[in-house]
Amino acid sequence: MRLRTTTAADSGHAEFTVIVREPVPDTAMVRAILDLLRDTVLGGQWIEPRQVVRIGGRLLRVIARDDGTLGLEEEITPEVWSEQVDETVTDLHYQQTVCARLELEMSDGGAAGPDLVPLRPCARTAGKLGFRRNVGTPEPGMSGWFLICLDEHDHEPAGFSTLGQVLAELPYLRQFLALPPDTTVIMEPPVTLAGSVLATVSRHGADITHGGIWFGPRRAPLSMTRARYGLGSFGDGLTRTMIGEQLGLPDVVARVALTSAAESGAWWVAWVLDDIQDAIADGTRFTAGQTVRSGWRTLRLVERPDGRLGLEERVTGDRWVEQVDRTLRESWTQRQVVGGLGLEASIDFPADTQLAAVADCVDETVSALTLSRDSLGDSMHSGWTVTCARSHAHGVRRTRTLWELAESLPFVTAFLALPAPISVRIDTSRGTDTTAIRAQVLWWDRELLPEPGSYTAELLGTEA
C-alpha cells in the first residue's frame, strides 16, 4: 500500500508518501501517521529530509523521494532501514489493543530506540520476567523502562542496553510500550518470540488483570476444513465440478470460449466453480433457472445436453450466452486493481443487480467524472455514486443497476470491487477505453498510489 497526503502542498510544503509492504493488522494506523505529518506541517513546522520523526516507540527517518514527496524509513533490524511503516503500524495497533483491554489511556511519552534500559544479562533469557515503567519523567537518555529477571538464582551485575536492542531480542515487549508510568507487566516468554504472552499487569501496585490475560497475536484454534475436490477439464474449454456425481447431485459446467483463457486450465475457472463445488459437497442441489454469484457478476444455470448444468453470463443488454469469459476477465481486472493498491484484504465485490446513484450531470459529453463508494448499510445499493468532476451542484441522483452503469460507462467496471470509503477521479478526455483513461484514487481522502510496475499503475496512467 502506498498512501499520500493531499493537503500539505497548500502550505508550500512537500506532500508525504508512506509505504506499507506487507499486510498490517490495522490500515487506519497508516492514515493516522499521515495525519500526524500533515497536521505537523499545517501547524507551522517544517519537516526536512534526514530529520527524525518519533512515532510511538519508534524513530523514523525522513527521506526525499524521487517523485518530489517526502517518505519515511523505519529500522526493521538493528542498523537496517527500509522505506516502509509496517513495523510502526503493527506496534501502534497492538499497543492500542493492550491499552484498550486494560482500560488505560495510551501514554504519549513513548520510549524511543536509543534510550537505555537497566537490566541484568539474565533477564534476556529469563523463564519469568518483569517489564516495568517507572513513575515520572525519565532522566535524559533513559527510557523509563526496567527489564527484570524473576527467576530464583544468583543474578549477575546489572548493566544497560538500548531499548531498541532489547525489543529486537524480545519483540513481544513492543505491545506494552504505550502503557502509562507505574505499570508492571509480569510474564513468561512466548514459545515464539513474536507470539502471544500470558501476562499479569499491575497498576499502582494493584493487579488489574485478575490473575493474567493473553496479549498479542494468538493463533486461531484449528478447525476441521472441508476436503477440496479437483475440477475436471474436458471438451473444448469446458471445466466441471466433480463431486456431484459422487453424491447423486447435478454437476455444473463452466465454458470458456476464448482460446487464451481456455488454455489456462481449471485454475482460471476455479474462481467461478470452487464455491459451487463446495456448495454441492455440502448437499446443495442446483437447478436450471437458478442464479449464482461470481465476483460482481450474476450467472444463470441452464440445462445442458449432457445432463449437467451449464453457466450463462450476460454479454450485452439482456442477452445471455453459455460462457464465463467476461466474468473471469472482469474478476481478474478487479482483483488486480484492488491488489495493486494494497487493499486485497478488503476487496468488496458488489452485485451487478445492486443499485448505483448517478447524477444528472453525467452524460456522454463529460470528460471527467468521480466514482465514489460509501458504506450505506442497504443491501439493495452498492454504495457507488457517479458525478461529474466539476465543483457545482450535481443535481438529482437517479438510481441505475451496476449492470446498466457498466453498459454505458464500461471503464468503471475495473474499479467496482474497491472497498468503501473510496473515490476514483477519472479523466476520460482521451477516450473511454480503459487504456486511455487517467485516474486518481482517494481512500479516506488520502491519495492511494498503485504499486510501481503493477497492472493498476498502468491502468491509472501513472506509468508510461
Side-chain angles (χ1 to χ4, degrees):
M1 176 186 293
R2 296 166 181 260
L3 207 58
R4 176 184 293 169
T5 59
T6 57
T7 56
D10 296 343
S11 62
H13 196 284
E15 298 287 1
F16 296 93
T17 300
V18 297
I19 296 177
V20 177
R21 299 193 180 277
E22 300 291 340
V24 293
D26 187 358
T27 53
M29 293 295 180
V30 186
R31 305 196 307 270
I33 290 174
L34 273 181
D35 288 350
L36 173 65
L37 298 171
R38 178 202 62 194
D39 293 346
T40 298
V41 170
L42 297 181
Q45 297 186 46
W46 204 262
I47 299 178
E48 298 279 359
R50 295 180 294 279
Q51 188 173 336
V52 173
V53 177
R54 185 169 176 165
I55 300 178
R58 286 186 178 264
L59 296 178
L60 288 83
R61 299 193 304 205
V62 180
I63 61 171
R65 307 186 75 250
D66 292 340
D67 59 7
T69 67
L70 298 178
L72 290 176
E73 287 184 327
E74 65 180 5
E75 193 174 22
I76 53 177
T77 58
E79 303 304 321
V80 177
W81 294 75
S82 174
E83 186 189 359
Q84 62 178 57
V85 294
D86 302 48
E87 302 294 336
T88 303
V89 167
T90 301
D91 286 355
L92 287 172
H93 168 76
Y94 285 112
Q95 289 163 12
Q96 185 182 69
T97 301
V98 166
C99 291
R101 293 191 66 189
L102 296 172
E103 299 182 354
L104 297 174
E105 289 189 10
M106 291 183 68
S107 171
D108 58 1
D115 296 335
L116 295 177
V117 177
L119 77 166
R120 300 178 188 275
C122 54
R124 289 185 163 94
T125 57
K128 185 176 184 181
L129 55 87
F131 195 44
R132 173 175 171 74
R133 189 168 192 178
N134 247 10
V135 181
T137 304
E139 297 178 8
M142 302 299 294
S143 67
W145 286 98
F146 289 77
L147 189 63
I148 309 163
C149 171
L150 298 177
D151 292 346
E152 295 183 1
H153 67 93
D154 293 331
H155 298 284
E156 301 174 54
F160 294 92
S161 180
T162 65
L163 181 61
Q165 185 61 42
V166 169
L167 296 177
E169 297 176 19
L170 309 174
Y172 55 89
L173 297 180
R174 291 187 180 277
Q175 61 190 311
F176 302 112
L177 288 183
L179 290 173
D182 202 11
T183 304
T184 303
V185 185
I186 297 175
M187 74 206 91
E188 295 180 359
V191 176
T192 59
L193 289 179
S196 57
V197 293
L198 178 63
T200 300
V201 181
S202 60
R203 175 88 167 119
H204 302 310
D207 178 9
I208 59 175
T209 53
H210 307 292
I213 57 178
W214 285 95
F215 295 97
R218 297 192 67 189
R219 185 182 300 275
L222 294 175
S223 58
M224 296 298 293
T225 57
R226 182 170 50 244
R228 302 289 296 173
Y229 298 91
L231 300 174
S233 297
F234 68 103
D236 187 13
L238 299 174
T239 305
R240 54 171 286 224
T241 61
M242 299 291 287
I243 189 63
E245 63 183 20
Q246 300 178 39
L247 302 176
L249 299 171
D251 273 310
V252 177
V253 176
R255 175 177 179 269
V256 179
L258 295 178
T259 303
S260 58
E263 290 175 349
S264 299
W267 71 266
W268 172 256
V269 190
W271 282 343
V272 172
L273 289 181
D274 268 356
D275 288 343
I276 293 175
Q277 176 134 278
D278 288 345
I280 295 173
D282 279 342
T284 300
R285 176 181 290 276
F286 290 100
T287 58
Q290 188 176 347
T291 59
V292 294
R293 283 274 307 280
S294 179
W296 85 291
R297 282 279 201 150
T298 300
L299 303 176
R300 192 166 64 183
L301 290 158
V302 294
E303 292 279 2
R304 285 179 49 83
D306 58 11
R308 303 185 181 101
L309 297 173
L311 288 168
E312 289 186 330
E313 67 178 2
R314 193 158 40 170
V315 289
T316 54
D318 226 13
R319 191 166 66 92
W320 294 75
V321 177
E322 189 189 345
Q323 63 177 51
V324 293
D325 295 68
R326 294 193 179 188
T327 301
L328 294 174
R329 183 171 64 249
E330 290 163 4
S331 181
W332 181 89
T333 301
Q334 291 167 352
R335 292 170 190 265
Q336 289 293 311
V337 168
V338 174
L341 292 169
L343 297 175
E344 57 269 31
S346 303
I347 192 167
D348 185 10
F349 291 107
D352 54 9
T353 54
Q354 286 183 307
L355 300 175
V358 183
D360 282 346
C361 55
V362 176
D363 56 36
E364 63 275 4
T365 66
V366 172
S367 61
L369 54 81
T370 298
L371 184 68
S372 58
R373 190 178 196 183
D374 295 305
S375 299
L376 302 181
D378 181 354
S379 61
M380 298 294 293
H381 204 289
S382 67
W384 285 108
T385 298
V386 186
T387 66
C388 76
R390 301 191 305 271
S391 298
H392 73 113
H394 295 291
V396 177
R397 290 168 173 77
R398 306 182 191 279
T399 56
R400 303 169 64 184
T401 66
L402 284 183
W403 175 257
E404 294 169 334
L405 175 65
E407 285 269 88
S408 60
L409 302 172
F411 56 88
V412 307
T413 305
F415 305 103
L416 293 180
L418 288 169
I422 206 159
S423 64
V424 187
R425 298 174 182 174
I426 304 174
D427 178 2
T428 60
S429 58
R430 300 173 54 203
T432 56
D433 185 89
T434 53
T435 60
I437 66 172
R438 293 291 181 266
Q440 178 189 44
V441 180
L442 297 177
W443 183 57
W444 293 94
D445 296 325
R446 291 86 170 172
E447 185 175 4
L448 194 56
L449 304 174
E451 188 70 24
S454 66
Y455 172 87
T456 312
E458 182 180 352
L459 175 65
L460 298 186
T462 59
E463 295 185 355

